[in-house]
Amino acid sequence: MIKKLYIEPSSLCNLNCSMCFRNNWFEEKKGLMSKDTKNILFQIFQKSNIETVFFGGMGEPLMHPDIIEMVSCAVQAGKRTELITNATLLNSTMVKNLLRAGLHCLWVSMDGFSRESYEGIRKGSMYSLIMKNLEEFNRQRTTTQLGITFVMMKENEYELQHINRFADDIHADFINLSHVLPGEPLNQEEALYEKDYPVGKMTRFLNHTSNKVENLCPFIAENCCFIRWDGEVCPCMQLLHNSYTYLYNEKRKVYSKSYGNINTQDFSDIFNSSEYMDFQNNVSEFNYPCCTICMGCEDRLENKKDCMYNIEPTCGACLWAQGLIRCP
């Protein structure tokens, strides 16, 4: 049974953030979820036992013209409803409509707490605009929760000492910390992977309290699933889009994986298909080699096959499964 369903209303974004692996997509179309796909989503909300609906993915959800209707429908179906945004479009009207729709939690991506650090990473955004929009959100909200997400990199590591103060200043309920998925070569000494930083959701940051769990996929373990903007059903964030990533200095080619499309197949049939269930069982047992530490073969350079005779998609080099990356 799916407990948490991630919805990608848009694969478009109005920013060009330095660390985003949207910059390294290949053979990918971009667009907004169609009205037909949206209407099928609403049927899924009504018929399923899903507990949480999360509007996110690899685009900016607030770019979709029907995002308020989507949130409202999920809330009316009795789901806890969350949304992640870069907050550039979070003006007074958008805030009012999201709150009226019943949104339970808003997550805002913040990777710096000054104009220089924030705008150096979030290309195309303005720190003053984001702070103004957060102030407006806090002015209007009553019970809706606020979370901030922070991607840890060498260039913003120093900001961790300020994250609790910033969270207090904007009245954030939660913080979500994650390491970066490299889109360019990253020397081992420049990576923060070996540092004892916690990852995932927390109320406030406590240094040197690592909770890293290896060989465990959080998406499969927590019964999550993704529906992409075009209706494709994918098991996790890593497999949502075709992208080039790096394992330190080695370039990897990661192919997306869909187990069906809700525009042509019943969602429950897709999720309960033998192919999808076999994949989930394999990931639960984590029958994959330790590609993140083994430099012995070239299988790790793609997710097509590995030395344990697994075939696409292989998960041995996935940083989510090694406790380094976490989505809210």
Side-chain angles (χ1 to χ4, degrees):
M1 182 184 74
I2 299 173
K3 289 186 177 180
K4 188 172 185 177
L5 181 63
Y6 287 83
I7 306 295
E8 184 182 60
S10 166
S11 65
L12 305 175
C13 189
N14 58 345
L15 297 184
N16 187 30
C17 301
S18 62
M19 75 298 188
C20 183
F21 59 92
R22 295 178 76 259
N23 301 326
N24 295 294
W25 282 355
F26 65 89
E27 298 173 6
E28 280 288 322
K29 295 180 180 179
K30 300 176 183 178
L32 300 172
M33 183 171 283
S34 70
K35 290 187 178 295
D36 288 342
T37 305
K38 180 194 68 176
N39 291 334
I40 295 171
L41 269 184
F42 295 170
Q43 297 174 24
I44 293 172
F45 294 163
Q46 294 293 334
K47 295 190 296 183
S48 68
N49 293 319
I50 295 165
E51 297 174 0
T52 300
V53 173
F54 191 106
F55 293 97
M58 287 307 300
E60 171 52 52
L62 298 187
M63 292 184 69
H64 198 291
D66 298 330
I67 188 60
I68 302 302
E69 182 187 8
M70 292 182 183
V71 171
S72 178
C73 181
V75 171
Q76 291 176 18
K79 315 303 180 187
R80 174 175 171 83
T81 307
E82 304 184 25
L83 181 147
I84 188 169
T85 177
N86 60 37
T88 55
L89 304 177
L90 195 67
N91 56 34
S92 178
T93 301
M94 181 64 74
V95 169
K96 179 178 66 176
N97 290 335
L98 285 171
L99 296 179
R100 283 183 175 177
L103 183 70
H104 293 98
C105 184
L106 180 77
W107 290 92
V108 176
S109 299
M110 295 291 302
D111 304 301
F113 309 124
S114 67
R115 183 183 66 81
E116 292 77 15
S117 61
Y118 174 82
E119 293 181 7
I121 295 171
R122 294 270 158 184
K123 306 293 185 182
S125 185
M126 294 188 297
Y127 183 76
S128 58
L129 172 65
I130 303 307
M131 296 308 294
K132 176 184 176 183
N133 290 348
L134 285 173
E135 182 179 355
E136 180 62 23
F137 178 77
N138 278 319
R139 188 186 70 80
Q140 293 193 41
R141 72 162 167 154
T142 53
T143 60
T144 302
Q145 296 173 313
L146 174 64
I148 57 173
T149 67
F150 184 88
V151 177
M152 298 180 287
M153 300 170 280
K154 190 66 176 177
E155 62 192 284
N156 68 357
E157 182 184 9
Y158 72 95
E159 289 279 39
L160 286 170
Q161 64 185 307
H162 306 301
I163 193 169
N164 288 338
R165 175 190 54 78
F166 181 82
D168 290 339
D169 288 346
I170 66 166
H171 309 291
D173 299 283
F174 310 111
I175 295 170
N176 189 85
L177 294 182
S178 177
H179 287 283
V180 67
L181 182 69
E184 57 187 21
L186 181 68
N187 293 328
Q188 192 161 355
E189 58 269 20
E190 295 177 348
L192 303 181
Y193 301 157
E194 303 304 320
K195 296 208 172 182
D196 201 26
Y197 291 139
V199 297
K201 182 177 174 181
M202 59 200 77
T203 54
R204 290 297 180 266
F205 170 67
L206 293 176
N207 200 356
H208 302 299
T209 56
S210 176
N211 57 346
K212 185 172 74 169
V213 178
E214 299 177 346
N215 297 332
L216 178 70
C217 173
F219 298 107
I220 299 300
E222 297 169 13
N223 295 315
C224 302
C225 186
F226 283 74
I227 296 181
R228 208 167 64 179
W229 68 275
D230 54 1
E232 299 292 340
V233 177
C234 305
C236 67
M237 180 69 84
Q238 174 79 99
L239 300 176
L240 198 60
H241 295 280
N242 296 316
S243 64
Y244 290 106
T245 66
Y246 281 82
L247 183 58
Y248 297 116
N249 287 308
E250 289 192 332
K251 192 173 186 178
R252 299 189 67 237
K253 193 172 187 179
V254 179
Y255 294 89
S256 64
K257 178 62 178 179
S258 169
Y259 287 92
N261 191 299
I262 63 170
N263 291 298
T264 57
Q265 298 166 266
D266 184 81
F267 178 64
S268 60
D269 290 343
I270 297 172
F271 188 77
N272 293 314
S273 67
S274 58
E275 184 186 12
Y276 198 175
M277 292 182 70
D278 287 346
F279 171 74
Q280 293 179 80
N281 290 334
N282 204 36
V283 174
S284 296
E285 297 173 3
F286 214 79
N287 297 314
Y288 301 101
C290 298
C291 299
T292 53
I293 60 174
C294 174
M295 309 302 284
C297 71
E298 294 187 355
D299 286 345
R300 65 188 179 279
L301 301 183
E302 291 186 346
N303 65 336
K304 289 284 191 180
K305 61 186 180 72
D306 63 31
C307 62
M308 293 178 66
Y309 303 103
N310 292 301
I311 58 173
E312 179 186 9
T314 58
C315 302
C318 177
L319 298 182
W320 275 271
Q322 297 309 315
L324 295 171
I325 300 180
R326 281 294 183 273
C327 301

